[in-house]
Protein backbone atom coordinates (compact mmCIF):
# COMPACT_ATOMS: atom_id res chain seq x y z
CA UNK A 1 0.00 0.00 0.00
CA UNK A 2 1.46 3.36 -1.02
CA UNK A 3 0.93 6.94 0.17
CA UNK A 4 -1.79 7.62 -2.41
CA UNK A 5 -3.83 4.64 -1.23
CA UNK A 6 -3.38 5.61 2.42
CA UNK A 7 -4.60 9.15 1.68
CA UNK A 8 -7.61 7.71 -0.13
CA UNK A 9 -8.63 5.65 2.89
CA UNK A 10 -8.03 8.49 5.35
CA UNK A 11 -10.34 10.76 3.34
CA UNK A 12 -12.92 8.07 2.57
CA UNK A 13 -16.26 8.65 4.28
CA UNK A 14 -18.35 6.05 2.45
CA UNK A 15 -19.42 3.46 5.09
CA UNK A 16 -19.90 0.81 2.43
CA UNK A 17 -16.42 1.31 1.00
CA UNK A 18 -14.87 1.48 4.47
CA UNK A 19 -16.22 -2.00 5.18
CA UNK A 20 -13.58 -3.17 2.73
CA UNK A 21 -10.83 -1.51 4.80
CA UNK A 22 -12.14 -3.04 8.04
CA UNK A 23 -12.21 -6.50 6.45
CA UNK A 24 -8.69 -6.19 5.05
CA UNK A 25 -7.33 -5.09 8.43
CA UNK A 26 -9.20 -7.76 10.36
CA UNK A 27 -8.01 -10.45 7.95
CA UNK A 28 -4.40 -9.27 8.37
CA UNK A 29 -4.89 -9.42 12.14
CA UNK A 30 -6.29 -12.95 11.96
CA UNK A 31 -3.51 -14.21 9.70
CA UNK A 32 -0.57 -12.64 11.54
CA UNK A 33 -1.46 -12.35 15.24
CA UNK A 34 -4.50 -14.61 15.54
CA UNK A 35 -7.77 -14.35 17.45
CA UNK A 36 -6.28 -13.77 20.89
CA UNK A 37 -6.52 -10.40 22.63
CA UNK A 38 -3.56 -9.94 24.96
CA UNK A 39 -4.14 -8.19 28.28
CA UNK A 40 -1.26 -6.15 29.67
CA UNK A 41 -1.47 -4.73 33.19
CA UNK A 42 -0.74 -0.99 33.19
CA UNK A 43 0.80 0.66 36.26
CA UNK A 44 1.22 4.45 36.26
CA UNK A 45 4.16 4.63 38.62
CA UNK A 46 4.61 8.42 38.70
CA UNK A 47 2.80 11.51 37.47
CA UNK A 48 5.80 13.81 37.88
CA UNK A 49 7.00 15.14 34.55
CA UNK A 50 9.80 17.52 33.64
CA UNK A 51 8.32 18.35 30.25
CA UNK A 52 5.89 21.07 29.21
CA UNK A 53 4.00 19.40 26.37
CA UNK A 54 1.19 21.71 25.26
CA UNK A 55 -1.59 19.13 25.50
CA UNK A 56 -0.80 16.92 28.51
CA UNK A 57 -2.27 17.44 31.95
CA UNK A 58 0.92 16.15 33.61
CA UNK A 59 3.04 18.97 32.14
CA UNK A 60 5.45 20.49 34.66
CA UNK A 61 3.78 23.95 34.78
CA UNK A 62 0.40 22.49 35.79
CA UNK A 63 0.09 23.29 39.49
CA UNK A 64 -3.39 21.79 39.75
CA UNK A 65 -2.08 18.20 39.74
CA UNK A 66 -1.55 16.28 42.99
CA UNK A 67 1.78 14.59 42.30
CA UNK A 68 2.70 11.07 43.39
CA UNK A 69 5.40 8.45 42.91
CA UNK A 70 4.72 4.78 43.77
CA UNK A 71 7.00 2.93 46.13
CA UNK A 72 8.75 -0.30 45.19
CA UNK A 73 6.32 -2.21 47.41
CA UNK A 74 3.30 -0.70 45.70
CA UNK A 75 4.66 -1.59 42.27
CA UNK A 76 5.42 -5.15 43.38
CA UNK A 77 1.84 -5.48 44.66
CA UNK A 78 0.62 -4.47 41.20
CA UNK A 79 2.90 -7.09 39.63
CA UNK A 80 1.43 -9.75 41.89
CA UNK A 81 -2.06 -8.63 40.92
CA UNK A 82 -1.17 -8.91 37.22
CA UNK A 83 -0.10 -12.51 37.78
CA UNK A 84 -3.30 -13.32 39.70
CA UNK A 85 -5.40 -11.88 36.89
CA UNK A 86 -3.55 -13.98 34.33
CA UNK A 87 -1.80 -11.17 32.46
CA UNK A 88 1.44 -11.89 30.61
CA UNK A 89 2.92 -8.39 30.66
CA UNK A 90 3.33 -5.56 33.15
CA UNK A 91 3.61 -2.04 31.68
CA UNK A 92 5.32 0.57 33.88
CA UNK A 93 4.41 4.06 32.71
CA UNK A 94 5.18 7.53 34.02
CA UNK A 95 5.76 11.10 33.09
CA UNK A 96 9.36 12.00 32.31
CA UNK A 97 10.43 11.76 35.95
CA UNK A 98 14.15 12.18 36.56
CA UNK A 99 13.67 11.08 40.17
CA UNK A 100 13.05 7.54 38.97
CA UNK A 101 16.66 6.51 39.33
CA UNK A 102 18.11 3.94 36.97
CA UNK A 103 19.58 1.61 39.60
CA UNK A 104 16.48 1.76 41.80
CA UNK A 105 14.26 0.71 38.92
CA UNK A 106 16.77 -1.90 37.70
CA UNK A 107 16.66 -3.59 41.10
CA UNK A 108 12.87 -3.63 40.94
CA UNK A 109 12.89 -5.09 37.42
CA UNK A 110 15.27 -7.87 38.46
CA UNK A 111 13.01 -8.77 41.37
CA UNK A 112 9.90 -8.94 39.19
CA UNK A 113 11.67 -11.06 36.56
CA UNK A 114 12.98 -13.43 39.25
CA UNK A 115 9.63 -13.92 40.97
CA UNK A 116 7.01 -13.74 38.17
CA UNK A 117 6.58 -14.96 34.56
CA UNK A 118 5.76 -11.41 33.39
CA UNK A 119 7.25 -9.62 30.42
CA UNK A 120 8.17 -6.05 31.36
CA UNK A 121 7.36 -3.03 29.24
CA UNK A 122 8.60 0.46 30.13
CA UNK A 123 7.10 3.77 29.03
CA UNK A 124 9.08 6.39 30.91
CA UNK A 125 9.78 9.05 28.30
CA UNK A 126 13.14 10.12 26.93
CA UNK A 127 15.95 8.65 29.02
CA UNK A 128 19.70 8.41 28.54
CA UNK A 129 21.31 5.52 26.69
CA UNK A 130 22.96 4.43 29.95
CA UNK A 131 19.58 4.24 31.72
CA UNK A 132 18.02 2.31 28.85
CA UNK A 133 20.93 -0.14 28.75
CA UNK A 134 20.82 -0.73 32.53
CA UNK A 135 17.08 -1.48 32.40
CA UNK A 136 17.46 -3.77 29.40
CA UNK A 137 20.18 -5.74 31.19
CA UNK A 138 17.96 -5.90 34.30
CA UNK A 139 15.22 -7.64 32.34
CA UNK A 140 13.06 -5.00 30.62
CA UNK A 141 11.69 -6.54 27.42
CA UNK A 142 9.95 -3.66 25.68
CA UNK A 143 9.92 0.12 25.56
CA UNK A 144 7.11 2.40 24.40
CA UNK A 145 7.93 5.90 23.15
CA UNK A 146 5.45 7.66 20.89
CA UNK A 147 6.91 9.94 18.24
CA UNK A 148 3.44 11.62 18.22
CA UNK A 149 3.85 13.06 14.69
CA UNK A 150 6.40 12.61 11.92
CA UNK A 151 6.22 16.31 11.03
CA UNK A 152 9.11 18.03 12.76
CA UNK A 153 7.54 21.50 12.82
CA UNK A 154 4.28 20.19 14.27
CA UNK A 155 6.18 18.12 16.84
CA UNK A 156 8.11 21.17 18.04
CA UNK A 157 4.90 23.21 18.20
CA UNK A 158 3.27 20.80 20.67
CA UNK A 159 6.32 19.28 22.36
CA UNK A 160 8.96 21.86 23.33
CA UNK A 161 12.51 20.80 24.11
CA UNK A 162 13.76 20.65 27.70
CA UNK A 163 16.10 23.61 27.72
CA UNK A 164 19.20 22.64 25.77
CA UNK A 165 18.09 19.00 25.48
CA UNK A 166 16.78 18.61 21.96
CA UNK A 167 14.05 15.97 21.61
CA UNK A 168 14.71 13.44 18.83
CA UNK A 169 12.41 10.50 19.42
CA UNK A 170 13.11 8.82 16.09
CA UNK A 171 16.78 8.58 17.03
CA UNK A 172 15.80 7.21 20.45
CA UNK A 173 13.58 4.57 18.88
CA UNK A 174 16.46 3.35 16.73
CA UNK A 175 18.67 3.33 19.81
CA UNK A 176 16.12 1.22 21.69
CA UNK A 177 16.10 -1.34 18.88
CA UNK A 178 19.89 -1.49 18.91
CA UNK A 179 19.77 -2.28 22.64
CA UNK A 180 17.51 -5.25 21.98
CA UNK A 181 14.17 -3.88 23.15
CA UNK A 182 10.93 -4.74 21.43
CA UNK A 183 10.10 -1.20 20.43
CA UNK A 184 6.73 0.50 20.38
CA UNK A 185 5.68 3.92 19.20
CA UNK A 186 2.67 5.69 17.80
CA UNK A 187 0.82 8.91 17.13
CA UNK A 188 -2.12 11.03 18.11
CA UNK A 189 -4.88 11.46 15.53
CA UNK A 190 -6.29 14.95 15.10
CA UNK A 191 -3.55 17.15 16.56
CA UNK A 192 -4.37 20.79 15.68
CA UNK A 193 -2.29 21.39 12.56
CA UNK A 194 -2.16 17.71 11.51
CA UNK A 195 -3.08 17.38 7.84
CA UNK A 196 -4.10 14.19 6.06
CA UNK A 197 -0.70 14.20 4.34
CA UNK A 198 1.09 14.32 7.70
CA UNK A 199 -0.98 11.44 9.08
CA UNK A 200 -0.28 9.39 5.94
CA UNK A 201 3.46 9.95 6.49
CA UNK A 202 3.04 8.90 10.14
CA UNK A 203 1.50 5.60 9.05
CA UNK A 204 4.23 4.96 6.48
CA UNK A 205 6.81 5.60 9.22
CA UNK A 206 5.37 2.70 11.25
CA UNK A 207 6.53 0.42 8.45
CA UNK A 208 9.90 2.11 8.00
CA UNK A 209 10.69 1.80 11.72
CA UNK A 210 9.60 -1.86 11.76
CA UNK A 211 7.75 -1.26 15.02
CA UNK A 212 6.90 -4.19 17.27
CA UNK A 213 4.06 -2.25 18.94
CA UNK A 214 1.95 0.61 17.58
CA UNK A 215 -0.24 2.82 19.76
CA UNK A 216 -2.77 5.11 18.09
CA UNK A 217 -5.32 7.23 19.88
CA UNK A 218 -7.41 10.34 19.23
CA UNK A 219 -5.96 13.69 20.26
CA UNK A 220 -7.51 14.73 23.59
CA UNK A 221 -6.01 17.86 25.14
CA UNK A 222 -6.30 18.55 28.85
CA UNK A 223 -8.25 21.79 29.40
CA UNK A 224 -5.50 23.24 31.64
CA UNK A 225 -2.99 23.29 28.77
CA UNK A 226 -2.20 25.68 25.88
CA UNK A 227 -3.96 23.37 23.44
CA UNK A 228 -6.94 22.77 25.71
CA UNK A 229 -9.14 25.17 23.77
CA UNK A 230 -6.95 25.84 20.73
CA UNK A 231 -8.34 25.92 17.21
CA UNK A 232 -6.52 24.31 14.30
CA UNK A 233 -4.43 26.60 12.10
CA UNK A 234 -5.51 24.53 9.08
CA UNK A 235 -8.68 24.86 6.98
CA UNK A 236 -11.35 22.38 7.97
CA UNK A 237 -11.02 20.27 4.83
CA UNK A 238 -7.30 19.61 5.45
CA UNK A 239 -7.37 19.22 9.27
CA UNK A 240 -7.60 15.62 10.48
CA UNK A 241 -10.48 15.28 12.96
CA UNK A 242 -9.75 13.72 16.40
CA UNK A 243 -12.57 11.24 15.99
CA UNK A 244 -13.17 7.56 16.66
CA UNK A 245 -13.72 6.93 12.97
CA UNK A 246 -10.44 8.53 11.91
CA UNK A 247 -8.57 6.71 14.69
CA UNK A 248 -10.01 3.39 13.52
CA UNK A 249 -8.86 4.13 9.97
CA UNK A 250 -5.33 4.75 11.24
CA UNK A 251 -5.42 1.54 13.30
CA UNK A 252 -6.63 -0.45 10.29
CA UNK A 253 -3.95 0.99 8.00
CA UNK A 254 -1.27 0.34 10.62
CA UNK A 255 -2.40 -3.31 10.81
CA UNK A 256 -2.21 -3.68 7.02
CA UNK A 257 1.25 -2.10 6.78
CA UNK A 258 2.68 -3.77 9.93
CA UNK A 259 0.55 -6.93 10.10
CA UNK A 260 2.54 -8.74 12.80
CA UNK A 261 2.80 -5.79 15.23
CA UNK A 262 0.93 -5.67 18.54
CA UNK A 263 -1.64 -2.85 18.37
CA UNK A 264 -3.66 -1.86 21.45
CA UNK A 265 -7.20 -0.58 21.65
CA UNK A 266 -6.13 2.47 23.63
CA UNK A 267 -7.74 4.02 26.68
CA UNK A 268 -8.21 7.26 24.73
CA UNK A 269 -10.46 5.42 22.26
CA UNK A 270 -12.58 4.24 25.18
CA UNK A 271 -12.80 7.83 26.44
CA UNK A 272 -14.26 8.95 23.11
CA UNK A 273 -16.82 6.11 23.17
CA UNK A 274 -17.13 4.45 26.55
CA UNK A 275 -19.41 1.66 25.31
CA UNK A 276 -17.94 0.71 21.96
CA UNK A 277 -14.55 2.42 21.60
CA UNK A 278 -12.36 -0.56 22.43
CA UNK A 279 -14.58 -2.95 20.49
CA UNK A 280 -14.42 -0.78 17.38
CA UNK A 281 -10.63 -0.75 17.55
CA UNK A 282 -10.51 -4.53 18.05
CA UNK A 283 -12.70 -5.02 14.99
CA UNK A 284 -10.40 -3.00 12.73
CA UNK A 285 -7.06 -4.58 13.65
CA UNK A 286 -6.21 -4.10 17.34
CA UNK A 287 -5.19 -7.13 19.43
CA UNK A 288 -4.14 -5.73 22.84
CA UNK A 289 -5.92 -4.08 25.77
CA UNK A 290 -4.10 -2.61 28.77
CA UNK A 291 -6.29 -2.76 31.91
CA UNK A 292 -5.21 -0.26 34.54
CA UNK A 293 -3.76 -1.75 37.75
CA UNK A 294 -2.65 1.57 39.29
CA UNK A 295 -3.94 1.76 42.89
CA UNK A 296 -7.25 3.64 42.87
CA UNK A 297 -6.07 6.40 45.22
CA UNK A 298 -3.39 7.39 42.68
CA UNK A 299 -5.16 6.65 39.42
CA UNK A 300 -7.38 9.73 39.46
CA UNK A 301 -4.25 11.91 39.59
CA UNK A 302 -2.74 10.53 36.38
CA UNK A 303 -4.69 13.13 34.41
CA UNK A 304 -2.96 13.23 31.03
CA UNK A 305 -6.42 14.11 29.63
CA UNK A 306 -9.88 14.41 31.20
CA UNK A 307 -12.39 11.60 31.47
CA UNK A 308 -10.06 8.60 31.46
CA UNK A 309 -12.27 5.56 31.00
CA UNK A 310 -10.57 3.57 33.77
CA UNK A 311 -10.16 6.33 36.35
CA UNK A 312 -12.56 4.88 38.93
CA UNK A 313 -13.02 1.22 38.03
CA UNK A 314 -11.50 -1.34 40.39
CA UNK A 315 -8.96 -3.51 38.57
CA UNK A 316 -11.03 -6.67 39.05
CA UNK A 317 -14.20 -4.95 37.80
CA UNK A 318 -12.43 -3.60 34.74
CA UNK A 319 -10.90 -7.03 34.05
CA UNK A 320 -14.31 -8.74 34.15
CA UNK A 321 -15.87 -6.16 31.83
CA UNK A 322 -13.03 -6.43 29.31
CA UNK A 323 -13.10 -10.23 29.31
CA UNK A 324 -16.87 -10.25 28.81
CA UNK A 325 -16.58 -7.81 25.93
CA UNK A 326 -13.88 -9.90 24.23
CA UNK A 327 -15.90 -13.10 24.71
CA UNK A 328 -19.01 -11.45 23.24
CA UNK A 329 -17.00 -10.65 20.11
CA UNK A 330 -16.05 -14.31 19.68
CA UNK A 331 -12.39 -13.60 20.46
CA UNK A 332 -10.22 -15.29 23.08
CA UNK A 333 -7.85 -14.06 25.77
CA UNK A 334 -4.16 -14.37 24.93
CA UNK A 335 -1.84 -16.44 27.09
CA UNK A 336 1.83 -15.90 27.83
CA UNK A 337 3.82 -12.74 27.26
CA UNK A 338 2.43 -12.03 23.79
CA UNK A 339 5.52 -10.59 22.13
CA UNK A 340 5.76 -9.94 18.43
CA UNK A 341 5.61 -13.36 16.81
CA UNK A 342 7.72 -13.09 13.71
CA UNK A 343 10.82 -11.52 15.14
CA UNK A 344 11.79 -10.64 11.59
CA UNK A 345 12.84 -7.29 10.24
CA UNK A 346 11.51 -7.84 6.74
CA UNK A 347 8.92 -5.49 5.27
CA UNK A 348 5.59 -7.23 4.75
CA UNK A 349 4.07 -7.30 1.31
CA UNK A 350 0.95 -5.19 0.98
CA UNK A 351 -2.12 -7.02 -0.38
CA UNK A 352 -2.04 -7.19 -4.18
CA UNK A 353 -4.65 -5.34 -6.20
CA UNK A 354 -6.84 -7.27 -8.65
CA UNK A 355 -8.32 -5.12 -11.42
CA UNK A 356 -11.70 -6.17 -12.75
CA UNK A 357 -13.82 -4.47 -15.43
CA UNK A 358 -17.54 -5.26 -15.38
CA UNK A 359 -19.56 -4.74 -18.56
CA UNK A 360 -22.54 -2.52 -17.72
CA UNK A 361 -24.09 -2.45 -21.18
CA UNK A 362 -27.85 -2.90 -21.22
CA UNK A 363 -27.66 -6.56 -22.26
CA UNK A 364 -25.11 -7.56 -19.60
CA UNK A 365 -26.90 -5.45 -16.99
CA UNK A 366 -30.21 -7.16 -17.67
CA UNK A 367 -28.50 -10.56 -17.44
CA UNK A 368 -27.08 -9.90 -13.97
CA UNK A 369 -24.17 -7.41 -14.04
CA UNK A 370 -25.79 -5.15 -11.46
CA UNK A 371 -24.65 -3.53 -8.21
CA UNK A 372 -25.50 -6.66 -6.19
CA UNK A 373 -23.29 -8.78 -8.44
CA UNK A 374 -20.46 -6.25 -8.11
CA UNK A 375 -20.73 -6.39 -4.30
CA UNK A 376 -20.57 -10.19 -4.43
CA UNK A 377 -17.54 -10.01 -6.70
CA UNK A 378 -15.84 -7.53 -4.38
CA UNK A 379 -16.35 -9.83 -1.36
CA UNK A 380 -14.91 -12.81 -3.29
CA UNK A 381 -11.77 -10.84 -4.14
CA UNK A 382 -11.35 -9.72 -0.52
CA UNK A 383 -11.84 -13.29 0.70
CA UNK A 384 -8.91 -14.24 -1.54
CA UNK A 385 -6.74 -11.75 0.36
CA UNK A 386 -6.61 -9.22 -2.49
CA UNK A 387 -7.65 -5.60 -2.87
CA UNK A 388 -10.46 -5.27 -5.45
CA UNK A 389 -10.23 -2.50 -8.04
CA UNK A 390 -13.58 -2.86 -9.83
CA UNK A 391 -14.74 -0.52 -12.57
CA UNK A 392 -17.68 -0.52 -14.96
CA UNK A 393 -17.64 0.08 -18.70
CA UNK A 394 -20.22 0.04 -21.44
CA UNK A 395 -19.66 -2.82 -23.88
CA UNK A 396 -17.35 -5.71 -24.80
CA UNK A 397 -19.25 -6.29 -28.08
CA UNK A 398 -20.07 -9.77 -26.78
CA UNK A 399 -23.67 -9.00 -25.87
CA UNK A 400 -25.07 -12.44 -26.75
CA UNK A 401 -22.50 -14.10 -24.48
CA UNK A 402 -23.03 -11.91 -21.41
CA UNK A 403 -22.79 -11.18 -18.61
CA UNK A 404 -19.11 -10.39 -19.33
CA UNK A 405 -16.32 -9.38 -16.96
CA UNK A 406 -12.61 -8.80 -17.54
CA UNK A 407 -10.13 -9.88 -14.86
CA UNK A 408 -6.73 -8.42 -15.60
CA UNK A 409 -6.47 -8.89 -19.37
CA UNK A 410 -8.78 -11.92 -19.63
CA UNK A 411 -12.43 -11.67 -20.68
CA UNK A 412 -14.89 -14.15 -19.17
CA UNK A 413 -18.39 -14.59 -20.58
CA UNK A 414 -21.69 -15.88 -19.21
CA UNK A 415 -20.52 -15.17 -15.67
CA UNK A 416 -23.17 -15.47 -12.95
CA UNK A 417 -22.61 -14.39 -9.31
CA UNK A 418 -22.79 -18.00 -8.13
CA UNK A 419 -19.76 -18.74 -10.34
CA UNK A 420 -17.58 -15.94 -8.97
CA UNK A 421 -15.66 -17.94 -6.31
CA UNK A 422 -14.76 -20.77 -8.69
CA UNK A 423 -13.97 -18.40 -11.55
CA UNK A 424 -11.69 -16.34 -9.36
CA UNK A 425 -9.93 -19.46 -8.11
CA UNK A 426 -9.43 -20.62 -11.72
CA UNK A 427 -8.12 -17.21 -12.82
CA UNK A 428 -5.61 -16.91 -9.99
CA UNK A 429 -4.37 -20.47 -10.55
CA UNK A 430 -3.98 -19.80 -14.29
CA UNK A 431 -2.11 -16.58 -13.62
CA UNK A 432 0.26 -18.34 -11.19
CA UNK A 433 0.92 -21.13 -13.72
CA UNK A 434 1.68 -18.51 -16.34
CA UNK A 435 4.22 -16.84 -14.06
CA UNK A 436 5.81 -20.12 -13.01
CA UNK A 437 5.96 -21.38 -16.59
Amino acid sequence: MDRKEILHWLRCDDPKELEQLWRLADRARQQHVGEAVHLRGLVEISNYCARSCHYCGLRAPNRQVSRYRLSAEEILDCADQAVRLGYGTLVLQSGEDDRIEAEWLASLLRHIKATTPLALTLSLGERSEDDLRIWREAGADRYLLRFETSDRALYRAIHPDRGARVSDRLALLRQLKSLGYETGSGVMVGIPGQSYAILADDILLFRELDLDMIGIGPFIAHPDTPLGQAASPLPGETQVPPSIGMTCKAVALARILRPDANIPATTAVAVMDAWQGRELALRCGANVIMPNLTPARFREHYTIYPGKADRIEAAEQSDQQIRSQIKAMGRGIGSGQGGRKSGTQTEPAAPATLRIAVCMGSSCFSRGNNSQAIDTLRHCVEDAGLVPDISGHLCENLCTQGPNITIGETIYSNVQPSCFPELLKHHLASTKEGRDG
Side-chain angles (χ1 to χ4, degrees):
M1 184 175 289
D2 59 20
R3 190 173 187 267
K4 182 178 179 181
E5 291 175 284
I6 292 171
L7 281 168
H8 166 76
W9 285 119
L10 291 177
R11 288 187 172 276
C12 179
D13 59 4
D14 180 354
K16 195 170 185 179
E17 187 177 359
L18 284 170
E19 284 298 323
Q20 177 185 335
L21 179 64
W22 311 144
R23 283 194 295 270
L24 288 171
D26 199 49
R27 183 178 299 112
R29 188 266 308 161
Q30 291 172 351
Q31 292 175 348
H32 292 271
V33 297
E35 293 293 343
V37 178
H38 288 276
L39 304 182
R40 312 200 191 288
L42 173 66
V43 186
E44 297 153 337
I45 65 175
S46 169
N47 70 349
Y48 284 89
C49 189
R51 291 204 168 270
S52 301
C53 301
H54 290 334
Y55 54 87
C56 180
L58 300 187
R59 65 196 308 263
N62 188 357
R63 305 304 180 192
Q64 305 303 313
V65 180
S66 298
R67 304 287 178 173
Y68 73 86
R69 190 179 292 115
L70 297 188
S71 68
E73 291 74 19
E74 288 165 331
I75 296 171
L76 291 175
D77 286 344
C78 293
D80 290 341
Q81 186 176 39
V83 174
R84 290 196 302 273
L85 291 171
Y87 301 163
T89 296
L90 191 71
V91 182
L92 304 182
Q93 183 182 74
S94 76
E96 200 160 300
D97 183 359
D98 296 333
R99 294 283 299 277
I100 298 177
E101 297 176 351
E103 288 296 344
W104 175 84
L105 183 59
S107 176
L108 188 63
L109 298 177
R110 284 190 288 267
H111 181 87
I112 294 172
K113 294 298 280 190
T115 58
T116 77
L118 296 169
L120 292 174
T121 299
L122 305 180
S123 182
L124 308 176
E126 301 175 31
R127 302 291 298 224
S128 71
E129 183 176 0
D130 285 344
D131 289 354
L132 297 173
R133 179 178 290 106
I134 288 170
W135 295 335
R136 178 72 184 109
E137 292 172 352
D141 301 284
R142 308 168 189 147
Y143 203 99
L144 305 177
L145 183 70
R146 288 192 180 192
F147 61 79
E148 306 294 19
T149 173
S150 59
D151 185 271
R152 188 63 187 169
L154 181 57
Y155 181 82
R156 294 291 293 274
I158 66 172
H159 197 285
D161 294 327
R162 286 182 61 185
R165 292 172 57 178
V166 177
S167 177
D168 188 347
R169 293 198 167 186
L170 298 183
L172 271 172
L173 288 168
R174 295 183 176 100
Q175 186 178 85
L176 286 162
K177 292 186 79 71
S178 72
L179 291 171
Y181 283 95
E182 278 192 41
T183 304
S185 193
V187 298
M188 295 180 292
V189 173
I191 303 168
Q194 181 186 60
S195 66
Y196 287 90
I198 289 173
L199 183 55
D201 290 338
D202 294 343
I203 293 168
L204 285 169
L205 190 54
F206 297 155
R207 180 165 63 186
E208 178 185 331
L209 293 172
D210 189 39
L211 293 174
D212 303 299
M213 300 164 284
I214 301 172
I216 301 171
F219 176 78
I220 306 174
H222 193 284
D224 297 330
T225 65
L227 288 177
Q229 306 297 329
S232 171
L234 298 178
E237 67 272 13
T238 58
Q239 169 65 48
V240 172
S243 64
I244 284 283
M246 187 60 63
T247 301
C248 285
K249 291 180 194 178
V251 168
L253 291 165
R255 172 59 68 199
I256 293 168
L257 267 68
R258 273 258 52 86
D260 58 349
N262 283 306
I263 301 178
T266 60
T267 302
V269 172
V271 168
M272 298 287 283
D273 187 332
W275 295 105
Q276 297 186 48
R278 284 188 177 122
E279 182 174 338
L280 290 170
L282 289 173
R283 291 192 184 282
C284 64
N287 71 313
V288 172
I289 292 177
M290 296 196 291
N292 198 327
L293 302 183
T294 307
R297 66 184 181 279
F298 299 113
R299 194 182 308 174
E300 63 180 312
H301 301 302
Y302 201 82
T303 51
I304 52 178
Y305 47 75
K308 282 180 64 183
D310 53 10
R311 69 191 185 281
I312 57 174
E313 294 173 340
E316 291 79 6
Q317 177 189 359
S318 175
D319 177 76
Q320 291 172 4
Q321 291 174 348
I322 290 169
R323 289 176 184 271
S324 295
Q325 188 175 37
I326 293 169
K327 183 178 179 181
M329 293 177 63
R331 303 269 289 273
I333 305 298
S335 60
Q337 297 182 348
R340 181 175 167 190
K341 289 185 176 181
S342 71
T344 64
Q345 302 298 309
T346 57
E347 182 176 305
T353 298
L354 186 64
R355 289 178 172 81
I356 301 176
V358 179
C359 182
M360 300 300 287
S362 58
S363 176
C364 284
F365 185 85
S366 66
R367 293 168 184 245
N369 271 8
N370 51 33
S371 59
Q372 185 176 354
I374 290 174
D375 283 343
T376 302
L377 183 57
R378 178 180 290 110
H379 293 324
C380 289
V381 175
E382 291 169 356
D383 289 342
L386 303 172
V387 177
D389 180 4
I390 301 176
S391 60
H393 60 112
L394 287 180
C395 192
E396 292 285 3
N397 293 318
L398 297 170
C399 300
T400 60
Q401 302 173 42
N404 302 299
I405 68 172
T406 303
I407 305 178
E409 303 297 326
T410 305
I411 299 175
Y412 295 96
S413 298
N414 194 25
V415 179
Q416 299 298 326
S418 60
C419 302
F420 287 165
E422 196 61 34
L423 174 64
L424 187 59
K425 182 179 178 181
H426 165 77
H427 176 83
L428 295 175
S430 300
T431 303
K432 183 177 186 301
E433 288 175 5
R435 289 196 307 265
D436 295 343

